[in-house]
Amino acid sequence: MTPQEEIEALIARVAMADRKAFRALYSRTSAKLFGIALRVLRDEAAAEDVLQDVYVRVWNRAGAYRSNGYSPMTWLITITRNAAIDRLRKARREGVAQEPVEIAERLYDTAPGPAQQAEMRDEARALNACLDELPADRAEMVRRVYLQGLTYQELSDQSGVKLNTVRTWPRRSLMQLRECLSA
């Protein structure tokens, strides 16, 4: 069984409220997901809180996961990234400063192995090729909204484009990207 198939099987068992499978899923994926939350938040305590929220969501939504040929880690990473960005946005709204924390010496090496790096490079190449097919301004909007975590309002203010247009362009661009990536 490949690692991808193993994680998919664990998610399926978690959907049936299998606590043992949940522990195994946590054990297999928590280091990587913590690294992603930490990269976004730059605060160890906040990343730990987000990770806890992520696994509560996974427990509650495991039944919604559908194997579609993509890595199940993509699903888990998306949940983690979105939760971390939501936390970051909330901190910005509340005026809470996020100070970078130097904890690299306390972290285990969570870097992906050679096979995962090759898979990630292939996915990145495909995504970049599809982004290159979009008009430059729309590709940049997608990057800033989904990779940098800017809100539509912030993007509208910075770019001078009307808010409704800023809401529409990324959504339409994502549909084009989905078509491109599935081809």
Side-chain angles (χ1 to χ4, degrees):
M1 184 179 285
T2 67
Q4 177 175 334
E5 292 169 339
E6 182 182 347
I7 293 173
E8 285 178 350
L10 289 172
I11 292 172
R13 289 176 40 209
V14 168
M16 295 183 290
D18 183 335
R19 291 176 186 268
K20 192 173 183 180
F22 185 73
R23 278 192 295 276
L25 181 67
Y26 181 87
S27 175
R28 293 275 318 218
T29 60
S30 62
K32 181 167 183 82
L33 299 183
F34 176 75
I36 289 165
L38 185 61
R39 222 174 291 134
V40 172
L41 296 168
R42 297 186 182 129
D43 179 283
E44 187 175 6
E48 288 172 354
D49 288 346
V50 164
L51 191 65
Q52 181 177 350
D53 292 343
V54 165
Y55 281 101
V56 168
R57 289 180 190 180
V58 168
W59 177 260
N60 291 327
R61 297 182 188 168
Y65 173 75
R66 297 289 176 258
S67 177
N68 56 8
Y70 294 111
S71 166
M73 282 303 294
T74 303
W75 183 68
L76 294 170
I77 289 167
T78 301
I79 292 171
T80 304
R81 185 190 141 288
N82 289 346
I85 287 174
D86 288 347
R87 175 106 178 200
L88 193 60
R89 287 177 179 166
K90 183 179 178 185
R92 278 190 210 150
R93 277 194 310 270
E94 294 173 356
V96 177
Q98 294 282 329
E99 293 295 321
V101 178
E102 296 297 326
I103 62 165
E105 63 275 356
R106 291 189 279 152
L107 290 178
Y108 293 105
D109 183 13
T110 59
Q116 291 170 317
Q117 287 178 358
E119 182 181 335
M120 289 171 25
R121 276 193 302 272
D122 289 344
E123 289 174 359
R125 273 190 219 115
L127 179 60
N128 284 326
C130 290
L131 278 169
D132 289 342
E133 291 181 15
L134 294 175
D137 57 344
R138 295 185 188 178
E140 181 61 23
M141 246 182 219
V142 167
R143 284 183 181 100
R144 294 176 78 194
V145 168
Y146 294 102
L147 299 177
Q148 296 175 5
L150 292 181
T151 65
Y152 292 138
Q153 185 64 55
E154 290 170 334
L155 193 55
S156 175
D157 294 344
Q158 291 176 10
S159 67
V161 177
K162 292 181 183 178
L163 182 59
N164 285 338
T165 304
V166 169
R167 288 183 178 140
T168 303
W169 282 359
R171 185 174 38 237
R172 288 183 182 166
S173 297
L174 284 180
M175 289 188 287
Q176 288 177 294
L177 287 174
R178 186 178 305 135
E179 286 178 29
C180 178
L181 289 169
S182 65

